[in-house]
Amino acid sequence: QHFITCSDGVRLAMKCWRNFDDGVPSRRKILCLHGWLDNAASFDRLAPLLLRSLSRGSDDDDDDDHDADDATEIIALDFPGHGLSGHKSPDGPPQLLAEYAYYVVEFFDAVGWGSPFEESTTSTAGTSTAARDKVIVIGHSMGAGVAVVLGASFPEWCASLVLLEGAGPLARNADDAPRHVRAACRRRIRSNRLLFPDDGGGGASSSS
C-alpha cells in the first residue's frame, strides 16, 4: 500500500503490482480505477493475472526473471472517500466525475506519469513523442466514467481506455442546462436540510 498527498491536502491510497526491481524503468503502465463505493482492492484478483499474462516469462518457474521490455507496473487508486484514501469535508461540494478526474490528474503528477502543466508534443508523423510512456487506463463502473473524462481532457497521457460496465457522464442538450441546474439546486438544498438539521435546516439568518 502506498500513499500520496494532493495539493489540497487530501491523501490518496493506492495498491501497486509490478514485475521488475527498483531502478528499472517501467515500459508499460496500467492504471485501474474502481467503481462507486468500491476501492482499489476490487482489482486484487485481476491485477496479478494481468501482470502475469503480459510477462513473456510467465511460463517460467522464476516469475522475477523478465525481459526489460516486459517491465509492467499496475496501480489501482482509491478515490477520495473510498478505501484507505482521505475524506473530504462533509459540508463541501458533492463528488462529481470531473472532480474525481482531478484527483487522477494529481496522481499522474505525483508519480511522474504526466504533468498537467505541459502541453502535448506531437511529431511530424502525428504521433506523440512520448507514446511509449502513455498509460493504459482500466475503469470499472464509475471509474470508467472518470477514465472517459480523463482521456478526453488529457489524451496525450492515455494509450487506451478499457471500460468495464462503464457508467459514463451523461450528455445533455444545451437548452436543458437551465432546467437541469434549477432541479440540481433544489435537490442540493433538500439534501442539505436532511444532512444538517442542526443548522436550522439550512435556512438563512440575519442579525442587526
Side-chain angles (χ1 to χ4, degrees), residues 46-62:
L46 175 62
L49 292 173
L50 185 60
L51 190 65
R52 186 175 179 86
S53 69
L54 293 173
S55 301
R56 293 178 182 174
S58 60
D59 294 330
D60 297 338
D61 292 334
D62 185 1

Side-chain angles (χ1 to χ4, degrees), residues 110-134:
V111 301
W113 283 9
S115 170
F117 304 106
E118 293 180 358
E119 296 297 331
S120 174
T121 55
T122 305
S123 67
T124 55
T127 58
S128 171
T129 55
R132 69 184 183 89
D133 295 327
K134 288 189 174 185

